[in-house]
Amino acid sequence: MKKNDLFLAIYLLAAIVFLIIPIPSRLLDVLILFNIAMSLIIVFNCLFAKETLDMSGFPTLLLSVEDARILCKILERVDMLYSLGVRILTPLWKGETCIGGSHDTESGLTNFGRDALSRAAELGMILDISHASAASAEDIFTISKKHCRPVIASHSNAYEICPVSRNLRKDQIQAIVASDGLIGINLYK
């Protein structure tokens, strides 16, 4: 069994256990953090990843972290996540964090957020602007461009069709396309 296959099997087993077995609250907190850190995003190719997982004809799975406050202002955790197989970083979710401002704020990335996302891009992670404020998204585009990396929106819709703060404005869609990124839609209305 390959290292990637083993890691994926462990993750899936942990996810099943997390859903089925009643867990004490302290352990639950740890498992929730693990689940957030290792949430799977199905991507039908890994054109932008530095390495691929051999899934023998199945869609490629890339590990992703959504809401990178899990980094807790510790830059070395970016390297740790990468070594664990994380290849997509969705840095924001809600509110202001150590990373920066989410869609419900007007804040951009913090200094730590810029450093963390620069390191992620340097390692080859794909940066995801889903849930980012307009200012944070601009900062992410700047970082990705500096590192010649694409930007994605793994689960966002067009603001012109569904005017919700977390959805993409026309200029953001154009910037993703210009970066050779991709946009995945969601079912939020």
Side-chain angles (χ1 to χ4, degrees), residues 72-143:
C72 299
K73 294 188 178 183
I74 303 170
L75 193 57
E76 293 76 23
R77 288 189 177 177
V78 175
D79 290 87
M80 180 192 75
L81 291 173
Y82 186 83
S83 71
L84 291 172
V86 173
R87 294 297 181 265
I88 299 174
L89 188 59
T90 309
L92 301 157
W93 183 67
K94 186 174 178 165
E96 291 189 28
T97 71
C98 65
I99 301 296
S102 301
H103 66 95
D104 54 347
T105 75
E106 295 188 16
S107 301
L109 296 178
T110 64
N111 289 335
F112 172 75
R114 281 189 285 280
D115 291 343
L117 298 187
S118 288
R119 179 62 183 149
E122 183 180 303
L123 289 169
M125 287 187 189
I126 302 166
L127 302 181
D128 182 349
I129 66 165
S130 298
H131 299 284
S133 68
S136 289
E138 282 305 310
D139 292 340
I140 292 168
F141 285 122
T142 300
I143 291 166

Side-chain angles (χ1 to χ4, degrees), residues 14-29 31:
I16 291 167
V17 167
F18 175 71
L19 293 171
I20 296 173
I21 299 174
I23 300 169
S25 64
R26 225 180 230 171
L27 181 57
L28 184 61
D29 291 341
L31 288 175

Side-chain angles (χ1 to χ4, degrees), residues 6-21 34:
L6 179 62
F7 182 75
L8 184 60
I10 291 170
Y11 171 77
L12 292 174
L13 179 63
I16 291 167
V17 167
F18 175 71
L19 293 171
I20 296 173
I21 299 174
F34 178 78

